[in-house]
Amino acid sequence: MTQKYYAQIYVTLRPSVLDPAGVAVRSGIQQMGYDNVEQVRIGKYIELTVNASNLDEAKTQLDRICDLLLANPVIETYRFDLTPVSAEVQTP
Amino acid sequence: MTQKYYAQIYVTLRPSVLDPAGVAVRSGIQQMGYDNVEQVRIGKYIELTVNASNLDEAKTQLDRICDLLLANPVIETYRFDLTPVSAEVQTP
């Protein structure tokens, strides 16, 4: 019996890393006439579903996927939320 | 007197829009040996701070910024969370 989990993953630049895309967006916002917007940082948002036998297994697997594939640990950090999806899935 | 709000903005592709980047990431995850991951969708995650006199004003302004600059309403949807930042800022 495995459980399906819905994962929301947030990958953001480390605070010490410059974010030229964020600076460009801030400049675009200012050209719209809003000079009250600051500290714009652009990151990635990834949604996926994972089948695992328990929450810990899903967490371990997602940590590995994030470290190796989704985030560059040198300049980025990540965090994720896992939510069990109601329908349980029978393993074949 | 204005209040500073911390905004977390999530821009995601509409469900009907194909996501080739998501398919590529799913294929990468499968090559890592995890075939239990599905429905990978890639979006954008934007953090910023905005000074506004109240929550409604901040919401209205962010809606405009998202519609015109951060999201492409034809293929993307967005949502955001606004959190008041504790320190209040005096207008000059």
Side-chain angles (χ1 to χ4, degrees):
Chain A
M1 204 66 162
T2 63
Q3 166 71 48
K4 181 178 275 195
Y5 296 92
Y6 170 62
Q8 296 172 289
I9 305 166
Y10 312 90
V11 179
T12 47
L13 284 171
R14 291 185 187 276
S16 58
V17 177
L18 288 178
D19 181 6
V23 172
V25 166
R26 192 194 163 191
S27 154
I29 292 172
Q30 284 179 338
Q31 280 171 34
M32 286 173 65
Y34 300 120
D35 53 1
N36 56 342
V37 172
E38 286 170 349
Q39 295 167 346
V40 182
R41 306 278 288 175
I42 316 266
K44 280 178 285 186
Y45 170 64
I46 299 133
E47 293 173 332
L48 53 83
T49 61
V50 55
N51 291 309
S53 49
N54 58 56
L55 193 63
D56 277 347
E57 190 188 301
K59 274 185 186 166
T60 308
Q61 184 172 333
L62 270 184
D63 268 326
R64 228 178 110 72
I65 291 173
C66 288
D67 272 327
L68 294 180
L69 194 76
L70 299 177
N72 175 353
V74 178
I75 57 167
E76 292 170 327
T77 55
Y78 65 84
R79 63 192 158 82
F80 53 78
D81 300 323
L82 277 171
T83 322
V85 178
S86 52
E88 294 210 328
V89 182
Q90 192 85 37
T91 46
Chain B
M1 203 69 159
T2 63
Q3 166 72 46
K4 182 180 276 197
Y5 295 92
Y6 170 63
Q8 296 172 290
I9 305 166
Y10 313 90
V11 179
T12 48
L13 284 172
R14 290 184 187 277
S16 59
V17 177
L18 289 177
D19 180 6
V23 173
V25 166
R26 193 195 161 191
S27 154
I29 292 172
Q30 284 179 338
Q31 280 170 34
M32 286 173 65
Y34 299 121
D35 54 1
N36 56 342
V37 172
E38 287 170 347
Q39 295 168 347
V40 182
R41 308 277 290 175
I42 314 267
K44 281 176 286 186
Y45 170 64
I46 298 133
E47 293 174 331
L48 53 82
T49 61
V50 54
N51 292 308
S53 49
N54 58 56
L55 192 63
D56 277 347
E57 190 188 302
K59 274 185 186 167
T60 309
Q61 184 173 333
L62 270 184
D63 269 326
R64 228 178 111 72
I65 290 172
C66 287
D67 273 327
L68 294 179
L69 195 75
L70 298 179
N72 175 354
V74 178
I75 56 166
E76 292 171 326
T77 55
Y78 65 84
R79 63 191 159 81
F80 53 78
D81 299 323
L82 277 170
T83 321
V85 178
S86 53
E88 295 211 325
V89 181
Q90 192 84 38
T91 45

